[in-house]
Amino acid sequence: MLTRLKGGRLYDPAHQVDGATGDIWIENGRIVAKPANGAKPDVDHDITGMVVMAGGIDIHSHIGGGKVNLARALMLEDHETYKHAPQDGLRAGSGVATPSTFSTGYRYAQMGYTAAFEPAVVISNARHAHLEMSDIPMIDKGGYLMLGNDDILLQMLASKREQSAVNDYVALMVQATGCIGVKIVNPGGISAFKFNQRNLGLDEDTAFYHLNPHRIVQSLAQAVHDIGLVHPLHIHCNNLGVPGNFQTTLDTVRAVEGLPIHLTHVQFHSYGAEGDRHFSSAAAHIAEMVNATPNVNVDEGQSMFGQTVTASGDTMTQFRNAGFGDPKKSICMDIECDGGCGLVPFNYKDKNFVNALQWTIGLELFLLVNDPWRIFLTTDHPNGAPFTTYPHLIRLLMDKTFRNEKLAGINKHAAAASTLGSIDREYSLYEIAILTRAGPSRILGLKDRGHLGEGAAADIAVYAPHANAETMFDTPKLVFKDGELVVRDGQIVKTVWGATHVAQCDFGHSIEKEVEKWFATWKGTRFSNFVLSKDELEADGRSRWVGHNLARRS
Amino acid sequence: MGVMSPDAKTDRVCPYCPLHCDDLIVSAQGEILSGGCEIACGHSSQIPLLQPTIAGQAVTRQQAEGEAARLLGQAHAPLISGLACDVDGLRAAVAVADQCRGFFDHGASDGFFNGLRVLQRRGALLTSPAEVRNRADVLVVFANQPWSRLPRFFDRYVPSGAQLFNDAPANRKIVLIGGSHAPDPLDGADVQVIPADLSKAAELALVLGALVAGRTPAVASSAGIAIDTLKEIAQALKAASYGVVAWENGDFGPHGDLAVEALYDLILTLNQTTRAAGLPLPPGGHVSGAHQVGLWQAGTPLRTCFTAEGPVYDSQLYSRAKLLADGRADLVLWISAMPGAVLPKIDDLPVILLSSTAPPDGPPPRVYIPVATPSLDHDSVFFRGEGVVSLHASRWRSPAPYLSVAETLAQISNQLPKGEQHPC
Amino acid sequence: MIVLTQKLTLPHRIDAGALVPAALAGLSLAQIEALSLKTGLKVGDVFTVAKSDGDVVVFRTQDQAVDCIGEGMGEGEIRVEGPAGRYAGRSMSGGTLHIVGDAGDGAGQGKSGGLLVVAGKAGDFVGSALPGRTSGVSGGVILIKGSVGQRFGDRMRKGVMIALGDAGDFCAARAVAGTIWVRGRLGQAPAQGLKRATLLLEHAPDALPTFQDCGVVEMPVLRLLLPSLDRLAGTRVADSSDYRAHRHLGCIGVDGRGEVLVLA
Ligand code: SF4
Ligand SMILES: [Zn+2]
């Protein structure tokens, strides 16, 4: 079937197309060239004057896995307030901060997003994460495996095993867990907390293994690079949320000595300790570093005001922050010699100095980082805010007047302490397309997503232009997933199932034997029953495993 | 035990209890050759001969499925329960509950809810099996006699031999409170068995918490344990590098949530100075799997009603037992493809039973459809009882002549009318 | 006055949560009958409706199949002439809910204000927390004239709860603050995990193992408390009191500073 989208204004930064009018042709789920034989389209959508972008790609969103499910159980009110019944072939669901899998897929598609990546897959919980992602309709998915607090790796590092062995181990685990990237969370800190260490700076050693976080990050960043993962090591730095932690963030960059890295939810890691309240913005320092350091990418982790829950692998931090819980409850868990997780409900209040300043810090970062290809639009869903706030966030970036109105409504001291009001920058539609589509696809190596070129998967969002960018991005006119029309005027018209993106890695046979033995001896379970396969993932008849072959760099 | 043959299959996952041991070796016929405990080996490897029935009369599978769909289509408020099956079966079961606007609860979730209620209102500080195995230097268990339902618990959680992080595993201290005797594999380890009345576990935990915090209650004993003994236990936990407090949710009675909450407070107090964490003993019947799947698909836990507005959760009102007692449900769909959720006696409602064994004695269910046993008859996924690790189970033997739960429910679901229904 | 008379046979339990005075005020008879209940039925399917002057809402019930009467009410008056099902007065924030018969489980759960009176007996979890909430009743008054079931006043945070009859097991568990007064006898294990609330009794409980016994002491605070409780409950306890009580402090298991007072 041949489909034409006629007369839209195309925003396709991967091909430097900035609002040019043109047609898009779709056949068999792909974007194709205009048929040379003059064939007429079977379906013609006249979208004259409308904004056309590739489907949105969320590079960091906690959408599935054990920790998300714990968060759902904890956030009862979220599910009492927001729920929907099954209708027209759609499934029932509930929640906004911690939506059910079906709600997650529907809502992403309704905003014109066609892919989202779960950034915190715990080794032993990988199958669970995939099971949940398999139940998220409408969008493509993928996961980043959390390493760097797993006892196998820490043992290897402590016993000074050669880098090639580390590389093999990382490659094996990425493959075995069906992930597409590697994340490190509070390097060494989650393990150290199990030994009753309560804080860990970059210049301290971890309890028991006596490893410096520098060394862990360095080795893992090297491994990620060497085995050929496109996405550089995804780093959640030490000292999340601690005033003055921007220094830790800068030190982390120094530690990797020029290796490519991705710093995640950098808003939470850009805090100074100045002022009466010993809490200040260090956004300028971090932005300056990013501008000057081409090997560094960041995603934002913008916080927004309202009720949400913080869900993290960082047990050390979450245990420390449990007292800030609102409502006052929390869950922490030590997990299987692999890592941990921690959940603390949180209510960001615009009249609270710290919360308000967090909001300004995030926006300052967005506006002070010059290269939109190296910063990505996230709220670290649900940690900073639910992903459903993206349209609002986009408006804050695109509309200075609106931004300053909002700034006037927050805590006075925070507003006064921030430079936000003096920043004139407004993001263009082209830059938004980079932030939310072209950039993420490039940094994840999704060659056929995030752009509108020939051969790309026809994941496409069509928006009616509107002076209010929030309105525009909240309710696309049309959304296509792999060429099928799935959303019209913000309503789901067809349920589809996206693919799961997985890195295909090579690794030596000896590491597999070693890990098998480790599992049997220390975990008391079999590696063979842990490994996830394409056949297993696809057995339900609707998941699709898309392998990305890696070229080993070393 | 049979003779090891060359076509024996290794690393098979056992479906018979929530430990889901995955080191079994089975013959081509599905007979356990190694790794099975007495429970596992007590199950016959023979494929049972079962016949679909309607009101006790033999029918074809298609007829039974058709009748099940007809009943579900007519029901205003069907209860989908039992839920002892693999993950794919559970995914299908939630879908049917959603489609029919029904209630969703596991057939043996009462104990589990003692823990979940506390997790939802207060939180939790938990650990998981491999951490216990490698880290715990003190393990205190509040349980009556769980070892008979979890035969390889000690072999899996606290095996004798080395621990990764405890230099002197021989000094690991195990205290069993409430248990009348220690299980055999523990002979030789430092095990202390202290009889106690666990209906008073909440008080016991509060007293321990007070002792850990340095406050001494003015009582000579609690739950039958002398205060001096309790002081020793408090001291051991406080001195531990990684103390683990384990408990059997189902042993604390109908208000056992108060006991779990008091244990949580004890754990929090311990963590002010050292590390400690909680470990509910794994519940049977794949409750952990039913909980996880229902939660991610609906956003709400077990005991959810799929109303006209969407999923509504009520841990008290929508329990299987209360729904049946209140007469709120008008049909029961019961799923029991593996042990742990036996169909209760239900006289006054039509029952559709999907089971891998014959229906229980007594009046026959309205519809009975035999189903395959997950793991034995088809590849499946289980959540181990702690709810963290899920395992892929490759099938043990050539397929049984029955469909899986997921396949059976798909057949039924395809025949359901898509109308408005109104339960609750 | 709007009178809703329960029809004899209901297909299943119904949820009357929507039928509070503020929602019914100004509606015609036909409009009320056409209102949808959460369970999908219409008001007219399950109640015979009559309407006269005034906004008081009266339920004439047959059995305990009508749940959630007065749920979320913030003002006005509801009278239940007959038994109420589960969750009567759940989440109410104001107004008066008067149940002339018995009330089921969960009456007054999550209540933040208003007056809930049950003339008969009441079930379990009266005035407790809504599922998953950190605390229970946070305001207003609950008065049960008969006996009450288990977990009375569970994790209460503020306000007054009174049972003139007996109260079941685990009364006042985890109560954070507020006053719970039980005139009859208590079941087992009262006041476990008490934080700062007051449990006032007339009969000594079996045991309080996690409380510190302070003996019988002069309690000046009773001079204010007892008359005000008398006013709420229509009793005359203050008359015969010498304002002394056997005082127990705890619960020491949670570093609590609550008190259990047994009138001397
Ligand atoms: S302990 Fe449980 S899982 Fe292990 S073999 Fe026995 S029944 Fe099977
Ligand atoms: Zn994150």
Side-chain angles (χ1 to χ4, degrees):
Chain A
M1 191 180 80
L2 192 61
T3 303
R4 177 171 64 174
L5 310 184
K6 188 163 151 284
R9 282 161 49 201
L10 312 182
Y11 290 85
D12 185 15
H15 300 98
Q16 296 89 45
V17 178
D18 183 7
T21 297
D23 296 348
I24 288 184
W25 294 79
I26 303 170
E27 192 166 32
N28 296 328
R30 299 267 146 184
I31 296 177
V32 294
K34 180 180 176 184
N37 59 7
K40 291 261 173 306
D42 302 298
V43 185
D44 209 9
H45 296 277
D46 185 348
I47 53 164
T48 305
M50 292 198 194
V51 170
V52 183
M53 294 184 182
I57 299 173
D58 195 340
I59 195 171
H60 186 119
S61 174
H62 298 268
I63 52 174
K67 139 182 77 51
V68 178
N69 237 8
L70 280 170
R72 290 186 187 109
L74 200 60
M75 299 291 287
L76 279 96
E77 280 119 312
D78 191 42
H79 297 266
E80 285 166 12
T81 314
Y82 305 99
K83 51 180 180 282
H84 56 91
Q87 40 174 247
D88 304 332
L90 302 190
R91 293 281 302 273
S94 61
V96 166
T98 53
S100 59
T101 53
F102 293 99
S103 306
T104 301
Y106 299 151
R107 188 61 200 130
Y108 264 120
Q110 285 171 326
M111 300 193 314
Y113 272 71
T114 50
F117 289 82
E118 162 58 53
V121 176
V122 177
I123 296 172
S124 46
N125 196 245
R127 175 167 285 101
H128 179 171
H130 280 284
L131 286 167
E132 287 202 23
M133 288 196 278
S134 294
D135 276 341
I136 298 178
M138 314 306 289
I139 59 171
D140 286 7
K141 288 96 34 171
Y144 312 148
L145 181 65
M146 285 210 292
L147 294 173
N149 283 285
D150 46 325
D151 285 301
I152 305 185
L153 182 69
L154 295 177
Q155 260 185 358
M156 290 176 98
L157 296 179
S159 58
K160 305 211 167 35
R161 293 281 294 274
E162 61 283 23
Q163 182 67 32
S164 65
V166 173
N167 294 355
D168 277 341
Y169 170 69
V170 172
L172 169 66
M173 295 313 272
V174 168
Q175 184 71 66
T177 55
C179 284
I180 193 174
V182 174
K183 185 194 194 191
I184 185 164
V185 174
N186 187 352
I190 302 167
S191 161
F193 178 62
K194 297 174 187 173
F195 296 98
N196 204 26
Q197 193 169 353
R198 300 302 171 105
N199 293 286
L200 178 63
L202 264 188
D203 43 7
E204 291 170 68
D205 280 354
T206 63
F208 189 77
Y209 290 110
H210 308 296
L211 284 167
N212 188 292
H214 270 164
R215 163 107 181 80
I216 304 171
V217 176
Q218 215 280 334
S219 176
L220 208 47
Q222 188 71 53
V224 166
H225 179 260
D226 288 352
I227 67 173
L229 279 170
V230 177
H231 189 46
L233 180 63
H234 200 93
I235 304 176
H236 158 146
C237 295
N238 303 69
N239 289 326
L240 177 142
V242 176
N245 66 6
F246 80 102
Q247 203 59 55
T248 310
T249 309
L250 299 180
D251 289 347
T252 305
V253 172
R254 239 167 266 135
V256 297
E257 295 164 359
L259 282 166
I261 53 169
H262 177 101
L263 299 178
T264 190
H265 39 70
V266 72
Q267 178 272 126
F268 290 109
H269 302 274
S270 301
Y271 301 154
E274 312 283 303
D276 299 346
R277 295 161 206 248
H278 306 289
F279 184 70
S280 59
S281 169
H285 293 284
I286 297 296
E288 191 188 340
M289 176 275 290
V290 175
N291 290 338
T293 322
N295 59 308
V296 171
N297 300 290
V298 299
D299 74 74
E300 180 51 45
Q302 176 69 36
S303 67
M304 297 285 209
F305 303 116
Q307 178 71 55
T308 190
V309 58
T310 60
S312 166
D314 189 348
T315 341
M316 179 188 268
T317 300
Q318 292 294 65
F319 183 79
R320 193 168 58 219
N321 288 343
F324 297 116
D326 180 6
K328 195 164 183 248
K329 49 186 179 181
S330 64
I331 299 174
C332 284
M333 188 165 188
D334 299 323
I335 300 177
E336 291 299 273
C337 299
D338 289 336
C341 77
L343 297 308
V344 183
F346 209 84
N347 195 348
Y348 292 96
K349 298 192 172 100
D350 56 2
K351 301 298 181 209
N352 172 292
F353 172 77
V354 171
N355 297 169
L357 205 63
Q358 288 178 299
W359 180 82
T360 66
I361 290 169
L363 293 173
E364 286 167 20
L365 279 163
F366 265 125
L367 299 168
L368 295 175
V369 169
N370 297 329
D371 181 0
W373 289 94
R374 291 197 291 118
I375 185 164
F376 308 96
L377 186 137
T378 68
T379 53
D380 190 15
H381 164 84
N383 289 287
F387 67 80
T388 52
T389 58
Y390 288 175
H392 182 81
L393 175 53
I394 290 172
R395 187 177 183 198
L396 287 169
L397 298 180
M398 294 187 72
D399 184 341
K400 178 177 177 249
T401 316
F402 177 66
R403 185 163 72 224
N404 285 341
E405 268 169 32
K406 291 287 155 191
L407 180 63
I410 67 167
N411 177 289
K412 282 202 304 290
H413 302 287
S418 171
T419 59
L420 186 60
S422 67
I423 306 177
D424 288 333
R425 183 172 174 194
E426 290 183 333
Y427 270 79
S428 66
L429 280 174
Y430 185 75
E431 287 176 313
I432 293 294
I434 298 173
L435 237 51
T436 55
R437 280 94 172 144
S441 87
R442 192 166 85 172
I443 198 65
L444 289 168
L446 307 175
K447 293 196 186 65
D448 63 350
R449 312 268 154 181
H451 66 90
L452 299 172
E454 277 171 40
D459 291 357
I460 301 167
V462 178
Y463 301 97
H466 197 287
N468 180 339
E470 183 171 350
T471 309
M472 171 173 158
F473 282 97
D474 189 69
T475 314
K477 187 77 191 159
L478 304 171
V479 180
F480 296 85
K481 178 81 189 86
D482 292 309
E484 295 204 69
L485 179 63
V486 293
V487 173
R488 186 194 288 278
D489 294 320
Q491 296 300 311
I492 310 276
V493 293
K494 179 161 202 226
T495 302
V496 294
W497 296 94
T500 300
H501 295 275
V502 180
Q504 306 276 133
C505 314
D506 290 333
F507 44 83
H509 192 63
S510 65
I511 193 71
E512 195 169 359
K513 285 268 159 291
E514 193 180 327
V515 171
E516 274 171 9
K517 184 151 178 267
W518 209 97
F519 265 62
T521 312
W522 301 117
K523 293 197 175 205
T525 184
R526 300 289 151 155
F527 191 66
S528 65
N529 294 322
F530 159 79
V531 173
L532 211 90
S533 70
K534 179 174 159 77
D535 287 350
E536 182 194 340
L537 189 94
E538 295 187 339
D540 65 8
R542 60 191 195 201
S543 305
R544 206 152 33 84
W545 169 295
V546 174
H548 296 259
N549 290 314
L550 304 190
R552 247 179 120 122
R553 297 191 181 102
S554 154
Chain B
M1 290 277 168
V3 180
M4 195 79 95
S5 63
D7 54 355
K9 300 172 183 134
T10 56
D11 294 2
R12 273 353 194 218
V13 180
C14 176
Y16 294 124
C17 94
L19 297 178
H20 294 303
C21 300
D22 70 339
D23 55 356
L24 272 58
I25 301 177
V26 303
S27 74
Q29 289 70 42
E31 195 189 347
I32 297 173
L33 304 176
S34 124
C37 67
E38 60 271 22
I39 290 184
C41 294
H43 284 269
S44 165
S45 63
Q46 299 292 311
I47 296 173
L49 275 177
L50 303 166
Q51 173 71 43
T53 59
I54 296 176
Q57 301 302 309
V59 294
T60 64
R61 176 170 61 77
Q62 288 78 3
Q63 286 171 322
E65 287 162 0
E67 178 65 1
R70 193 185 65 79
L71 290 170
L72 277 165
Q74 279 177 358
H76 287 282
L79 163 62
I80 305 358
S81 190
L83 303 181
C85 62
D86 63 317
V87 164
D88 272 344
L90 290 163
R91 287 162 96 186
V94 189
V96 167
D98 187 351
Q99 196 176 0
C100 301
R101 305 261 172 100
F103 300 102
F104 189 75
D105 184 21
H106 189 276
S109 61
D110 289 351
F112 179 78
F113 270 88
N114 280 338
L116 187 65
R117 285 202 183 101
V118 177
L119 180 139
Q120 293 192 291
R121 68 185 178 228
R122 290 284 311 281
L125 211 176
L126 300 171
T127 187
S128 69
E131 301 289 357
V132 179
R133 191 175 165 112
N134 291 300
R135 217 174 270 283
D137 48 355
V138 174
L139 169 66
V140 180
V141 187
F142 296 80
N144 283 330
Q145 197 49 261
W147 321 123
S148 53
R149 73 169 188 89
L150 304 169
R152 288 183 61 192
F153 177 85
F154 286 93
D155 165 33
R156 303 287 308 283
Y157 280 66
V158 276
S160 56
Q163 288 183 287
L164 273 177
F165 312 113
N166 184 11
D167 296 338
N171 296 343
R172 175 172 54 195
K173 186 176 177 65
I174 299 174
V175 185
L176 306 179
I177 295 177
S180 50
H181 61 82
D184 301 339
L186 278 178
D187 292 347
D190 175 7
V191 185
Q192 197 182 354
V193 178
I194 305 173
D197 173 7
L198 290 187
S199 72
K200 299 210 161 42
E203 176 196 311
L204 187 55
L206 289 167
V207 168
L208 275 171
L211 290 169
V212 168
R215 296 181 288 269
T216 305
V219 288
S221 70
S222 177
I225 308 179
I227 202 79
D228 287 342
T229 309
L230 291 173
K231 274 184 189 157
E232 283 165 28
I233 297 168
Q235 207 41 52
L237 279 168
K238 223 177 146 172
S241 299
Y242 196 86
V244 172
V245 175
W247 67 89
E248 178 82 318
N249 270 315
D251 278 356
F252 299 153
H255 295 281
D257 59 322
L258 291 173
V260 177
E261 189 165 2
L263 289 170
Y264 178 50
D265 278 318
L266 168 66
I267 291 163
L268 287 179
T269 307
L270 287 165
N271 275 283
Q272 287 173 8
T273 55
T274 182
R275 281 307 319 275
L279 181 79
L281 295 177
H286 207 209
V287 176
S288 44
H291 167 70
Q292 298 282 15
V293 177
L295 189 51
W296 82 57
Q297 287 211 349
T300 50
L302 294 165
R303 305 192 173 178
T304 279
C305 174
F306 288 86
T307 73
E309 278 103 45
V312 173
Y313 161 71
D314 192 319
S315 61
Q316 288 160 9
L317 219 50
Y318 300 156
S319 79
R320 164 194 61 81
K322 208 147 239 176
L323 287 167
L324 293 175
D326 281 0
R328 232 176 244 267
D330 61 357
L331 173 74
V332 178
L333 167 60
W334 194 272
I335 299 165
S336 171
M338 52 199 268
V342 180
L343 177 69
K345 206 163 120 42
I346 300 169
D347 296 331
D348 46 352
L349 291 181
V351 174
I352 301 165
L353 174 63
L354 271 49
S355 176
S356 58
T357 55
D361 293 341
R366 181 62 98 39
V367 179
Y368 165 68
I369 306 175
V371 290
T373 307
S375 201
L376 271 59
D377 296 324
H378 58 86
D379 285 11
S380 28
V381 171
F382 298 117
F383 277 85
R384 283 191 334 211
E386 87 283 349
V388 174
V389 172
S390 45
L391 293 168
H392 177 75
S394 302
R395 88 182 141 73
W396 292 20
R397 61 190 184 198
S398 43
Y402 313 115
L403 299 184
S404 69
V405 170
E407 290 163 336
T408 306
L409 290 177
Q411 293 294 332
I412 294 172
S413 165
N414 287 337
Q415 300 175 54
L416 281 175
K418 291 193 167 66
E420 289 284 295
Q421 310 258 332
H422 304 292
C424 316
Chain C
M1 188 158 79
I2 298 159
V3 182
L4 300 148
T5 306
Q6 184 187 349
K7 291 184 177 175
L8 267 180
T9 45
L10 291 178
H12 44 79
R13 300 183 72 94
I14 61 149
D15 180 332
L19 309 176
V20 296
L24 300 184
L27 296 188
S28 70
L29 193 69
Q31 284 171 320
I32 294 174
E33 284 175 337
L35 285 176
S36 286
L37 297 169
K38 257 193 210 155
T39 39
L41 298 165
K42 304 246 179 285
V43 169
D45 297 337
V46 292
F47 295 108
T48 313
V49 187
K51 195 170 180 320
S52 55
D53 286 349
D55 290 336
V56 177
V57 176
V58 177
F59 286 87
R60 297 215 169 109
T61 55
Q62 310 275 354
D63 54 29
Q64 289 204 331
V66 185
D67 294 329
C68 301
I69 296 175
E71 182 175 31
M73 73 186 285
E75 58 191 346
E77 184 181 342
I78 296 179
R79 201 164 68 243
V80 183
E81 298 175 352
R86 301 186 197 283
Y87 296 149
R90 180 154 79 157
S91 301
M92 73 185 278
S93 58
T96 302
L97 172 58
H98 199 114
I99 298 166
V100 179
D102 297 341
D105 294 345
Q109 201 170 74
K111 177 175 164 295
S112 59
L115 173 65
L116 167 62
V117 180
V118 178
K121 57 188 187 338
D124 298 338
F125 289 100
V126 170
S128 62
L130 293 167
R133 302 309 196 275
T134 50
S135 52
V137 162
S138 60
V141 175
I142 294 179
L143 169 62
I144 312 294
K145 295 193 176 169
S147 61
V148 66
Q150 298 173 332
R151 307 283 286 263
F152 184 54
D154 205 61
R155 59 206 72 236
M156 180 188 198
R157 205 176 73 200
K158 204 176 159 193
V160 177
M161 293 180 60
I162 303 169
L164 298 183
D166 298 340
D169 299 341
F170 307 109
C171 178
R174 299 262 158 194
V176 176
T179 303
I180 300 172
W181 180 31
V182 178
R183 293 208 66 187
R185 293 183 183 277
L186 286 186
Q188 59 157 311
Q192 275 184 352
L194 198 71
K195 289 293 221 179
R196 290 184 313 280
T198 300
L199 174 60
L200 181 67
L201 303 170
E202 290 177 49
H203 301 276
D206 283 349
L208 291 167
T210 55
F211 281 75
Q212 195 190 330
D213 189 335
C214 307
V216 175
V217 291
E218 198 84 46
M219 295 289 295
V221 65
L222 292 176
R223 287 180 195 279
L224 292 171
L225 186 60
L226 290 181
S228 75
L229 290 175
D230 276 340
R231 263 196 307 283
L232 290 171
T235 49
R236 302 188 56 180
V237 177
D239 292 357
S240 55
S241 175
D242 59 1
Y243 306 110
R244 285 154 51 83
H246 193 155
R247 185 167 188 243
H248 310 262
L249 281 178
C251 155
I252 65 166
V254 295
D255 200 13
R257 286 156 179 75
E259 53 189 6
V260 177
L261 303 177
V262 186
L263 291 179

